[in-house]
Amino acid sequence: MTPQDIGKATEALCRKAPVIPVLVIEDAAHAVPLAQALVAGGLPVLEVTLRTPVALEAIAAMSQVAGGIVGAGTVLTPDDVTAARAAGAQFAVSPGATDRLLDACEAADLPILPGAATATEAMRLLERGYDTLKFFPASAIGGAPALRALGGPLPQLRFCPTGGIDTVNAPDYLSLPNVLCVGGSWVAPRKLVENGEWAAITGLARQAAAL
């Protein structure tokens, strides 16, 4: 895939719902019911972070859930790209971007949402052909006001901010013209997942989908 093709693919993903759940899965048995609960609530695009030993197993299981579009988060290396693709991931998300990582995603035909925290990082990605980016860590680097400011000199870029976003501040980001969606973990709180409270998670997903 070319960077332009990847940009079109990630933009389409980001437009499917206002929130992409960021999921840290500790028990593979939770993967399918969690995905089903989120999809039922109107959040079809799911990011499973590669931060636990069962993450790839969870991606493989969740990829079989009807209506779900499952990707791998915290993708840092070409090896991560290969493993995520093999597990069935349909997209990747990274906190930043390196040439080796982008090369690997392009070669693997794996759409990536590459991270940028500064104007320089965003400009470098734009120069390569990427126009749909992750803004991370959003709250720590100025939040919605910072992202609004980036929109002035870089109006051609679109973002999915993540990091410190919740139901309270999500509307501030979603009101910006350069924001397609936000990423957040609040729709699948750890306690609800551990206790198997899938109906409650569906309720949170419905609220998020209505933002």
Side-chain angles (χ1 to χ4, degrees):
M1 297 181 79
T2 67
Q4 292 77 16
D5 291 336
I6 287 175
K8 290 177 183 176
T10 52
E11 179 180 356
L13 288 172
C14 289
R15 290 190 183 279
K16 288 188 177 295
V19 178
I20 295 177
V22 180
L23 309 171
V24 180
I25 299 178
E26 305 282 352
D27 184 344
H30 294 150
V32 168
L34 176 57
Q36 291 172 332
L38 292 166
V39 171
L43 301 181
V45 183
L46 312 174
E47 175 190 341
V48 179
T49 63
L50 300 183
R51 301 181 195 174
T52 68
V54 303
L56 292 170
E57 183 182 352
I59 288 171
M62 294 170 80
S63 295
Q64 305 305 310
V65 172
I69 303 169
V70 184
T74 324
V75 174
L76 307 177
T77 68
D79 286 344
D80 289 341
V81 172
T82 301
R85 198 52 154 158
Q90 293 177 260
F91 65 95
V93 182
S94 179
T98 67
D99 287 335
R100 291 181 67 240
L101 178 62
L102 297 176
D103 288 344
C105 286
E106 291 165 16
D109 292 333
L110 183 66
I112 183 172
L113 196 60
T118 67
T120 297
E121 292 172 353
M123 287 169 62
R124 284 176 175 163
L125 285 162
L126 180 61
E127 187 175 79
R128 180 159 174 154
Y130 289 84
D131 60 5
T132 303
L133 315 178
K134 171 177 174 171
F135 184 64
F136 175 85
S139 292
I141 55 177
L147 200 45
R148 182 184 296 110
L150 278 178
L154 298 168
Q156 63 273 66
L157 291 177
R158 297 292 179 267
F159 293 91
C160 171
T162 69
I165 298 177
D166 56 29
T167 187
V168 175
N169 61 23
D172 294 335
Y173 291 96
L174 292 169
S175 69
L176 300 177
N178 59 345
V179 170
L180 297 174
C181 65
V182 300
S185 59
W186 84 88
V187 292
R190 183 172 182 174
K191 275 294 182 187
L192 293 184
V193 174
E194 289 178 348
N195 296 332
E197 297 184 50
W198 312 123
I201 290 174
T202 295
L204 290 175
R206 286 201 181 103
Q207 293 173 12
L211 289 173

